[in-house]
Amino acid sequence: MATWANLGLQDSSSPLMEQLNFFHDHTLLILTMITILVGYIMGMLMFNKFTNRYLLHGQTIEIIWTVLPAIILMFIAFPSLRLLYLMDEINTPSITLKSIGHQWYWSYEYSDFLNLEFDSYMIPTNELEMNGFRLLDVDNRIVLPMNNQIRILITATDVLHSWTVPSLGVKVDATPGRLNQINFLINRPGLFFGQCSEICGANHSFMPIVIE
């Protein structure tokens, strides 16, 4: 979960989130290099006094500054597309969970078992235990196995919601009348917190998600 003064991404708890972390660092490095180069060139333009009276065109430099950005974009696009397709890949799931968004709570159904469904509400601050997390803890947590392929089917009954758990790299819109699915694998034990990430009305901030 996110802690105080944590400005970066959360620690990954799934292989996909690990790859997303790597991709973030990779892209940031490229952006840093571009910023330094452009900043240096602009500084040189402003501060040097040299002029070339005979310079009317420079085809070589124009070719370079057209081709080079295209190559740099390819270094961003190919890893990005690879990740995009990886995230959409549905492997053979060991367990299926159905998540239904309501105003303003989540309800869950374990589709592989008969009559196993429950609602999950945020615990109000005045009912919270001393070791609970304010605005994040729920009365009924989702319990999922580790090192297993998990499929989640996501929908909503009223308005748009978004089922999001950052440390697993999962963010899926819950749309009324539509069933979205996502696949992930949890590779370490723990409590994983998330929240609705689509503005869904007055209590949008008060419908957290907890996976145990």
Side-chain angles (χ1 to χ4, degrees):
M1 65 178 288
T3 49
W4 298 114
N6 179 14
L7 301 177
L9 299 168
Q10 293 183 26
D11 290 344
S12 63
S13 305
S14 76
L16 266 179
M17 187 57 196
E18 204 169 89
Q19 290 295 313
L20 285 167
N21 268 333
F22 291 150
F23 177 66
H24 169 266
D25 296 345
H26 166 80
T27 312
L28 206 62
L29 192 68
I30 292 172
L31 284 175
T32 307
M33 292 189 317
I34 291 169
T35 308
I36 290 167
L37 180 68
V38 172
Y40 171 75
I41 292 168
M42 285 177 73
M44 291 298 289
L45 278 172
M46 285 176 193
F47 297 114
N48 80 23
K49 298 284 188 289
F50 299 116
T51 56
N52 186 339
R53 292 188 302 160
Y54 304 107
L55 184 65
L56 298 173
H57 61 85
Q59 285 187 339
T60 312
I61 189 71
E62 283 174 13
I63 290 167
I64 290 168
W65 73 40
T66 305
V67 172
L68 200 64
I71 293 167
I72 291 168
L73 281 175
M74 283 165 63
F75 274 96
I76 296 173
F78 287 131
S80 171
L81 283 169
R82 173 182 157 272
L83 257 177
L84 204 62
Y85 280 98
L86 266 178
M87 289 173 76
D88 264 350
E89 192 74 38
I90 299 293
N91 301 307
T92 312
S94 307
I95 189 168
T96 300
L97 175 72
K98 187 176 181 186
S99 169
I100 304 157
H102 307 267
Q103 285 181 311
W104 286 275
Y105 64 96
W106 296 98
S107 57
Y108 299 101
E109 298 171 10
Y110 285 84
S111 313
D112 305 299
F113 307 98
L114 291 172
N115 301 324
L116 184 45
E117 49 188 78
F118 57 89
D119 296 334
S120 180
Y121 288 88
M122 185 192 78
I123 302 173
T125 308
N126 58 339
E127 295 173 21
L128 203 60
E129 292 178 20
M130 282 298 289
N131 59 351
F133 294 106
R134 193 178 74 89
L135 303 183
L136 280 178
D137 253 326
V138 293
D139 54 359
N140 294 311
R141 293 169 175 168
I142 312 162
V143 178
L144 291 172
M146 189 180 118
N147 290 331
N148 279 280
Q149 290 293 340
I150 296 155
R151 174 174 59 183
I152 298 213
L153 304 172
I154 295 145
T155 187
T157 54
D158 36 47
V159 297
L160 287 175
H161 299 278
S162 185
W163 199 86
T164 306
V165 182
S167 60
L168 298 175
V170 175
K171 182 171 184 170
V172 187
D173 281 352
T175 313
R178 182 189 173 98
L179 207 58
N180 290 327
Q181 73 171 348
I182 190 113
N183 198 77
F184 63 85
L185 179 142
I186 303 169
N187 60 9
R188 64 187 177 124
L191 282 180
F192 308 114
F193 293 89
Q195 287 175 303
C196 175
S197 296
E198 187 75 58
I199 293 176
C200 57
N203 291 338
H204 158 67
S205 312
F206 310 118
M207 46 184 299
I209 299 152
V210 184
I211 297 177
E212 188 176 320

